[in-house]
Amino acid sequence: MSILEKIQNKEIGTLIQRVSIGLLILFHGIANMNSNYSFIKSLLSGLSLPEFFSYGVFIGEIVAPILIIIGYRAKLASLVLTLNMFIAILMAHVSEIFSINQYGGWAIELQALYLFGSLSIMFLGAGKYAISTNSKWD
């Protein structure tokens, strides 16, 4: 058995992905919450949408990441986060989708990382190291 076969553990990889995506977006959500979602509210006002929609970001950036981290209904929580990031890209970053930033990277690479990271968790599920593993949403 080679060293690569010995260290291959998809369950640990799933756990690392869940915790890293969940924690990083949670920090972002806490920063939004501390500003009382002022940036989100201004975006919504600019689109003639009610400001109370901004509290949906609370679900997508606070509640969903916590559920992803602990592994409770991770597929459902990842679906919520995926939708949250898709809407965020459309609302705040649509003009940057086909742009390169000043360092030569994709202008929305961070948002894409959250979007595709949560999308992969949605397909992979929570894995073995999770609070709940019995539901189809885990």
Side-chain angles (χ1 to χ4, degrees):
M1 180 181 287
S2 73
I3 188 72
L4 292 177
E5 291 172 335
K6 288 180 182 177
I7 62 170
Q8 181 180 1
N9 188 326
K10 292 177 184 173
E11 297 299 333
I12 298 272
T14 303
L15 174 66
I16 291 169
Q17 182 176 15
R18 263 190 19 241
V19 171
S20 62
I21 293 291
L23 273 177
L24 291 173
I25 198 68
L26 182 61
F27 287 134
H28 186 76
I30 290 169
N32 273 333
M33 189 172 61
N34 286 338
S35 72
N36 197 25
Y37 303 101
S38 59
F39 177 71
I40 311 293
K41 288 177 181 178
S42 68
L43 283 175
L44 289 166
S45 293
L47 295 170
S48 299
L49 294 170
E51 286 185 358
F52 74 86
F53 284 171
S54 65
Y55 296 104
V57 175
F58 176 80
I59 295 168
E61 293 182 355
I62 302 288
V63 176
I66 291 171
L67 294 175
I68 291 168
I69 291 166
I70 66 173
Y72 183 79
R73 305 300 186 254
K75 287 183 177 183
L76 181 60
S78 294
L79 174 62
V80 169
L81 180 53
T82 299
L83 292 173
N84 188 67
M85 290 312 304
F86 184 72
I87 292 167
I89 289 169
L90 291 179
M91 284 182 60
H93 304 283
V94 73
S95 64
E96 301 170 308
I97 291 175
F98 300 106
S99 299
I100 303 289
N101 66 19
Q102 71 244 26
Y103 304 109
W106 191 18
I108 63 165
E109 61 190 15
L110 181 61
Q111 295 82 4
L113 176 67
Y114 293 144
L115 174 73
F116 294 117
S118 61
L119 188 63
S120 67
I121 294 168
M122 188 177 76
F123 287 111
L124 290 171
K128 182 168 83 171
Y129 302 114
I131 285 183
S132 176
T133 57
N134 298 331
S135 171
K136 67 179 180 179
W137 291 105
D138 293 327

